[in-house]
Amino acid sequence: MRRLIINSYGTFIGYRKGLVVIKNKDLEEKYPLGNLDQIVIATRGAAISSRLIRACAKNNVDVLILSSSGKPLGRVFNLRRSHVKLRLEQIRAREDERGLRIAKALVYGKLRSQSNMLKSLAKNRSGELKDKLMTLSFSIDELASEIDTINSSLSEVRRQLVGIEAEAARFYWSGISHIVPSDLRFTSRKKRFENPDDPVNLCLNYLYGVLASEIFLMIEISGLDPWFGFLHDDSNRRPALVYDLMELFRTAVVDRVVLNIALRNPDKLSSGVDSKLRIIRKSFRAELLREIFERLGCEVSFNGKRKPIYSHILSQARDLARYLLGHRSEFKPFVMGW
């Protein structure tokens, strides 16, 4: 996906003769609109012309607005026709066997990716650390194998899956904590509401928000409703299906990006955040955005097909839609290889 990221305060983005025109102080840059799929606005101090907004909507160029914490605040996109039959089936599936199978597949795919991540990390290590990572990986595999045995109402299945997911997370993040340099102060996974102050958790939380915006778009393109999920509870603030599908790609995208930076250049990761204020510095946010969008464009293999990760995300949304409509006999979740 071809993106233009706006992260500089005082930037004006306009449109002239088929070109996106970016002005900031004495600098002016131009990009053909036809060469773009998305414009990401990641700063408060930017202005965008209504002419450009209209041109983007007309030419199917997504305009995404991110908060300073990485959460998607809003977007401008072309109004597509609603797939009424698909959305009805999506709601009906929550009351029948399909909803159970989808919820279990989502957690199974997430756990297998976490296990494979630990195996991948163990591959290039030796001795006690390698043995520790492999043991944790096998423990997650055992939990994944339990998922098939769950069979009850969707609400009860959700409760059991959350328990399995939480136990697997303890194994997974324990393994990651053995890999992350000690200077980064990462001991366990902490979500945004837990107010972490270490660089790893701050960056994970920021990039999970960015990933959510990518998945939201792919769900919209596929014709599904982002708000009706199978694993996560309904909420007016959280689009449940977005967070459902995101479980399959957290490890392959966000965890991989943050861990790569932590191992490659821990000083950069440490200096890129303000631990006292618990925020990511603006200049480093721009680098994180470049890293995650580059990762989304990396080609990986799954289900016999090698293509960019963002294409796998779209394929997962479309496969889910086909399953709901009865065009597929099962929904096969994405699993990151190792």
Side-chain angles (χ1 to χ4, degrees), residues 19-31:
L19 299 173
V20 178
V21 181
I22 301 174
K23 296 181 180 180
N24 192 303
K25 297 180 180 179
D26 297 328
L27 299 176
E28 182 175 310
E29 297 177 292
K30 299 177 182 178
Y31 300 89

Side-chain angles (χ1 to χ4, degrees), residues 249 295-319 322 328 334:
F249 295 94
R295 177 61 182 165
L296 284 164
C298 286
E299 292 191 352
V300 300
S301 296
F302 169 68
N303 206 21
K305 296 179 181 178
R306 185 170 182 82
K307 54 188 178 181
I309 293 176
Y310 70 80
S311 293
H312 283 298
I313 296 175
L314 180 58
S315 293
Q316 285 283 279
R318 285 177 168 165
D319 286 350
R322 294 187 186 104
R328 279 180 174 271
F334 174 86

